[in-house]
């Protein structure tokens, strides 16, 4: 897999959120033209993207803000975790409490609580940019 794409309404805020999570901005670009229209399947595509990379370089998120045509809302902005489609993106973190605290000023809201799974992990789901669910996992021991 090369990357996971997420459409956002505020590209700068999304970049700040994922930077705070430990990702690195690999680059930005303005996307438009016939090749973009044909790839996406929409005429008149004009968008800005930011490619975010995990510190180990193995995973990426492509954050996209559509200038044209305007992004559409396909349902509630904050769908529940059991909504069909892309469910969440999970990140391994060293300190889940500190990570949640750092993300709160960027709009992160816990969906439930931080919970422990056996003696293996502390886990949580939170709402991130554009209403997506971001899961965090802290391995114990």
């Amino acid at each position: 897999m090369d990357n996971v794409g997420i459409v956002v309404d505020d590209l700068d805020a999304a970049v700040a959120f994922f930077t705070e999570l430990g990702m690195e901005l690999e680059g930005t670009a303005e996307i438009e033209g016939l090749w973009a229209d044909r790839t996406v399947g929409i005429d008149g595509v004009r968008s800005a993207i930011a490619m975010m990379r995990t510190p180990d370089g193995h995973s990426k998120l492509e954050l996209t803000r559509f200038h044209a045509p305007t992004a559409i809302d396909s349902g509630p902005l904050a769908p529940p975790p059991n909504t069909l489609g892309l469910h969440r993106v999970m990140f391994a973190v060293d300190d889940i409490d500190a990570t949640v605290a750092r993300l709160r000023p960027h709009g992160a809201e816990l969906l439930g609580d931080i919970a422990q799974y056996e003696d293996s992990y502390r886990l949580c789901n939170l709402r991130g940019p554009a209403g997506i669910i971001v899961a965090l996992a802290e391995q114990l021991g």
Side-chain angles (χ1 to χ4, degrees), residues 3-18:
N3 69 66
V4 173
I6 300 173
V7 176
V8 298
D9 57 349
D10 185 335
L11 190 59
D12 292 334
V15 168
F17 179 91
F18 287 107

Side-chain angles (χ1 to χ4, degrees), residues 1-117:
M1 183 174 76
D2 184 69
N3 69 66
V4 173
I6 300 173
V7 176
V8 298
D9 57 349
D10 185 335
L11 190 59
D12 292 334
V15 168
F17 179 91
F18 287 107
T19 298
E20 192 63 51
L21 195 51
M23 297 191 82
E24 301 166 5
L25 179 63
E26 186 173 270
T28 61
E30 294 292 324
I31 306 297
E32 63 182 310
L34 182 59
W35 71 270
D37 295 356
R38 294 177 83 183
T39 301
V40 176
I42 300 174
D43 291 334
V45 168
R46 196 170 51 80
S47 63
I49 67 166
M51 190 64 74
M52 305 293 296
R53 177 183 63 237
T54 55
D56 64 7
H58 295 297
S59 302
K60 297 179 189 179
L61 290 178
E62 180 180 306
L63 305 172
T64 303
R65 181 183 186 286
F66 279 87
H67 301 297
T70 304
I72 59 169
D73 184 4
S74 64
L77 183 57
N82 62 340
T83 301
L84 293 174
L86 180 63
H87 178 66
R88 61 151 172 77
V89 179
M90 180 176 270
F91 293 89
V93 297
D94 293 329
D95 183 337
I96 199 167
D97 297 302
T99 303
V100 170
R102 285 195 331 269
L103 293 175
R104 284 184 195 260
H106 296 277
E109 296 178 22
L110 281 172
L111 294 181
D113 295 313
I114 298 171
Q116 186 164 326
Y117 173 71

